[in-house]
Amino acid sequence: MLKRLTIRDFGIIDNLEWRPSTGLNVLTGETGAGKSLVLDALDVLLGRRVGQEVIRSGASSAVIEAEVAPPGADEATGSVILRREVERTGRGSASVDGRLAPVRTLREFAASAFDLHGPNQQFSLLDVGEQLALLDTYAGTTSLRTEFSGVAGKLTDTRNRLKTLLTDEQQLARRRDLLAYEAGEIRAAQLVPGEEAELQEESELLANVEGRRVAVGQAWERICGGEQGVPSGSDSIGEGLQQLREAAGMDRRLESLVQAVESALIQIEDAGRELASYRDSLEYDPARHEQVQARLDLLRTLKKKYGGTVEAVLAHAEEAEKELTSLDSGEEYRGHLEREEAKLRAELAELGERLSEARKRAAESLSAAVERELSDLNMSGTGFMVSFGLIEGDDDLTLSDGSTCGFSRDGIDDLEFLIRPNPGEPFLPLSRTASTGETSRLMLAMRCALSRGGPVPTLVFDEIDMGVGGRSGEIIGKKLSLLAREHQVICITHLPQVAAYGDTQYSVQKKVAGDRTFVEIVALFGKEREAELSDMLGSLGEPSMFGAQELLARASAWKGTTT
């Protein structure tokens, strides 16, 4: 969840720190006060590309920082500090817990920690590609789609190589030379699995010979050597032993202690001799150190080129040699590629059918879930379904029933979300039928169906109630409140009916000091919150104030009955 958001010199925001609470956080305020700017800053922090236009006038850079508790974190795990700086020079930086990181790292983190939905994301629901991604999220088929994409990439690569081979016979010779070079380079290295760890250990030992010699020498000096006029440890123990023997001559009960000390002294003297031998054996071998480092550098180079481990590099050499063997003639190589293509086509068809079947099963469940959510959102009778078809293609893939279809990197399905606004009407594409308000509520219904109990801890909605009237606003408020029981929810709203259901309400205020404009976020409680809701209802008069109190009371009563 988001614990803290700090924004400096971003748009009209000069220096702002906000600590949202758990549950449902609602941000309200006048149009243009900077509400959406706060979430824009969060979006930029989490990887959105922007230019210097976001930097506050007169500032050299904009800085956005967030303290985030990762998914599954507890008090012991702690928080992660994300920071991004956009400079007017065109440069910028990103960091995670103080360590520089590429912006894509922030983007990857965002996928697991945040789900942002503003007007742009709402309208992205009309995009077929976004619809496919949402269905895969619901179906849990993202990993299967990734596997399909990998095989599709291999098939495309194999077909391209076949096409190149048929049009350019020189490709055969170049391929042979490349494979021969790669296999020869790897075999010449005479790699041994497991040697890298041994070499790394030996390198570290060689690098700290002098440090070990000094430490062991000092240890030996204190235990056995002794400086001039200063007895060593063994000398002192020997003198103590002599005194103990004298005491044992007077009291035989001390004889067992005499034996124990004698044994310890013998062990210390033996250890001293071994220390001296170890010390004398320590000698830095620069030639061997250089040899070990050169070997490690070679291993790193080969891993970078051919695989992440020595075993992967050796496997690459084996594959290269196998293919090289088949390159005795262009016909043999062509046959190799054709067989590889047939194998990949069969594998891709099988994966595609599995992926399609899983999507269809999930689509039925998703349709029912979305219709339930829409009914709760005052759109009872609205139908939702996912239309499936096969991607057109001559004979790209042959399916188990003998039919053929095309494919993309995402599968074999040509699907689209359909909506039926009223009973008895036909289902039509969402992009042709949904109004702005319907799109907003459909996005919320999708989020509820996808996110309840899901892994993303923080859900962010920017004007999810856009185009929605007050009658439906209270329903949206209830829906967001239910989501907030399992997630941290942040919502910008202009509807008092939604704001009343917030666990914490914040007023975003634009103020002017001197000749500069700045933004503040103020938590509202008690009378201040009632006044804000009254203002959102239209005035600060007694009827509106009474209406605000009634909204808060109704929301509080509803929360109490649904706990």
Side-chain angles (χ1 to χ4, degrees):
M1 61 174 282
L2 178 63
K3 291 186 173 182
R4 171 180 59 83
L5 179 64
T6 301
I7 308 169
R8 190 178 75 238
D9 295 327
F10 184 86
I12 61 171
I13 297 176
D14 62 340
N15 196 352
L16 177 69
E17 180 174 294
W18 179 43
R19 296 180 179 272
S21 65
T22 57
L24 175 56
N25 299 265
V26 293
L27 296 172
T28 59
E30 294 290 341
T31 300
K35 301 184 298 300
S36 293
L37 196 59
V38 173
L39 299 193
D40 281 345
L42 180 60
D43 198 12
V44 170
L45 175 68
L46 298 175
R48 195 184 85 197
R49 291 185 176 182
V50 291
Q52 62 177 350
E53 70 278 358
V54 302
I55 302 174
R56 181 176 170 86
S57 176
S60 59
S61 65
V63 177
I64 309 159
E65 184 176 283
E67 180 182 356
V68 180
D74 51 28
E75 291 299 325
T77 307
S79 303
V80 175
I81 304 297
L82 306 179
R83 187 178 190 274
R84 186 174 179 193
E85 181 172 3
V86 181
E87 298 181 7
R88 197 171 292 281
T89 60
R91 297 192 300 268
S93 63
S95 65
V96 178
D97 275 343
R99 296 185 295 273
L100 290 177
V103 173
R104 68 172 179 273
T105 300
L106 299 183
R107 194 177 298 116
E108 291 167 357
F109 187 93
S112 63
F114 293 91
D115 203 348
L116 273 67
H117 295 281
N120 290 335
Q121 286 84 4
Q122 291 177 34
F123 290 121
S124 71
L125 183 59
L126 306 179
D127 180 73
V128 174
E130 178 67 14
Q131 294 173 7
L132 179 61
L134 288 171
L135 179 59
D136 278 331
T137 299
Y138 184 81
T141 51
T142 303
S143 59
L144 184 57
R145 185 178 69 180
T146 300
E147 184 181 357
F148 182 94
S149 179
V151 177
K154 291 180 181 179
L155 177 57
T156 300
D157 178 65
T158 300
R159 286 178 167 177
N160 289 337
R161 284 159 57 188
L162 256 175
K163 182 179 179 180
T164 302
L165 179 64
L166 294 172
T167 58
D168 185 2
E169 290 298 329
Q170 291 182 352
Q171 178 70 18
L172 180 63
R174 289 195 293 269
R175 182 66 180 170
R176 181 188 291 109
D177 290 343
L178 175 62
L179 292 171
Y181 172 80
E182 292 179 346
E185 183 181 35
I186 296 171
R187 294 309 183 194
Q190 297 181 330
L191 302 179
V192 178
E195 69 170 315
E196 186 175 18
E198 296 177 1
L199 288 169
Q200 191 66 47
E201 182 179 2
E202 183 180 358
S203 176
E204 292 174 359
L205 288 173
L206 288 167
N208 61 25
V209 165
E210 186 60 31
R212 285 183 290 143
R213 182 189 293 115
V214 171
V216 172
Q218 291 176 346
W220 181 87
E221 189 68 33
R222 291 181 179 275
I223 294 173
C224 301
E227 299 178 359
Q228 186 174 4
V230 180
S232 65
S234 59
D235 290 339
S236 297
I237 295 174
E239 292 173 0
L241 177 60
Q242 182 59 38
Q243 295 168 352
L244 184 59
R245 285 178 179 142
E246 293 176 3
M250 294 180 280
D251 187 349
R252 296 180 60 185
R253 288 177 298 177
L254 296 173
E255 289 180 354
S256 61
L257 291 176
V258 170
Q259 294 174 0
V261 175
E262 286 176 342
S263 176
L265 183 59
I266 291 171
Q267 292 181 16
I268 290 173
E269 290 173 344
D270 288 343
R273 284 190 289 273
E274 291 186 23
L275 279 173
S277 176
Y278 179 81
R279 178 198 60 197
D280 295 340
S281 69
L282 290 176
E283 183 176 352
Y284 178 61
D285 186 348
R288 176 56 184 166
H289 196 187
E290 183 177 353
Q291 182 183 19
V292 170
Q293 286 301 118
R295 182 66 176 174
L296 284 171
D297 289 343
L298 174 62
L299 294 181
R300 294 189 191 102
T301 299
L302 292 176
K303 289 195 301 177
K304 184 176 181 180
K305 292 172 67 174
Y306 303 117
T309 64
V310 170
E311 290 77 8
V313 174
L314 290 170
H316 183 89
E318 291 180 4
E319 289 298 319
E321 288 170 344
K322 288 179 181 178
E323 187 176 343
L324 193 59
T325 302
S326 70
L327 295 182
D328 292 337
S329 68
E331 289 298 327
E332 289 184 15
Y333 181 49
R334 185 179 296 111
H336 164 78
L337 291 179
E338 289 171 347
R339 289 189 297 274
E340 183 70 12
E341 182 196 21
K343 172 188 170 185
L344 290 171
R345 283 181 62 195
E347 183 179 354
L348 197 63
E350 189 270 335
L351 281 173
E353 287 191 277
R354 281 172 49 199
L355 180 58
S356 182
E357 290 169 3
R359 286 170 172 169
K360 289 174 181 176
R361 289 194 299 270
E364 295 182 6
S365 173
L366 177 62
S367 296
V370 170
E371 287 183 356
R372 286 194 299 270
E373 299 292 344
L374 288 173
S375 178
D376 292 342
L377 290 168
N378 224 19
M379 292 176 68
S380 180
T382 300
F384 175 84
M385 67 173 292
V386 183
S387 168
F388 278 87
L390 292 175
I391 294 177
E392 293 184 0
D394 296 334
D395 60 349
D396 280 347
L397 299 179
T398 302
L399 305 181
S400 58
D401 62 359
S403 61
T404 60
C405 67
F407 67 93
S408 71
R409 287 297 185 99
D410 296 324
I412 62 174
D413 297 307
D414 182 8
L415 62 82
E416 188 171 11
F417 288 177
L418 305 181
I419 190 171
R420 183 195 59 204
N422 302 293
E425 297 180 4
F427 280 92
L428 295 172
L430 180 62
S431 58
R432 291 170 50 190
T433 59
S435 66
T436 300
E438 287 172 331
T439 302
S440 298
R441 281 181 283 177
L442 183 58
M443 172 59 82
L444 180 56
M446 291 289 295
R447 285 299 94 196
C448 291
L450 292 168
S451 299
R452 184 169 291 132
V456 179
T458 300
L459 306 177
V460 183
F461 298 98
D462 184 0
E463 299 185 18
I464 192 69
D465 51 19
M466 181 173 59
V468 174
R471 183 176 300 176
S472 298
E474 188 168 5
I475 300 171
I476 291 177
K478 292 177 180 179
K479 191 66 64 176
L480 292 172
S481 181
L482 290 173
L483 275 179
R485 295 180 182 180
E486 299 179 11
H487 306 268
Q488 180 190 45
V489 178
I490 298 171
C491 174
I492 288 178
T493 181
H494 289 284
L495 289 180
Q497 293 85 355
V498 174
Y501 283 85
D503 296 307
T504 310
Q505 182 172 348
Y506 300 88
S507 173
V508 182
Q509 303 171 3
K510 181 169 64 174
K511 297 186 176 182
V512 178
D515 61 347
R516 298 308 303 268
T517 303
F518 63 96
V519 175
E520 284 186 345
I521 296 182
V522 180
L524 303 176
F525 302 99
K527 295 297 183 182
E528 291 181 343
R529 187 175 186 187
E530 291 176 3
E532 175 77 1
L533 291 175
S534 176
D535 194 23
M536 294 172 72
L537 284 168
S539 76
L540 291 174
E542 186 175 341
S544 291
M545 188 66 73
F546 178 77
Q549 294 169 349
E550 184 180 12
L551 284 176
L552 289 171
R554 192 157 60 235
S556 178
W558 179 84
K559 290 180 182 179
T561 59
T562 56
T563 301

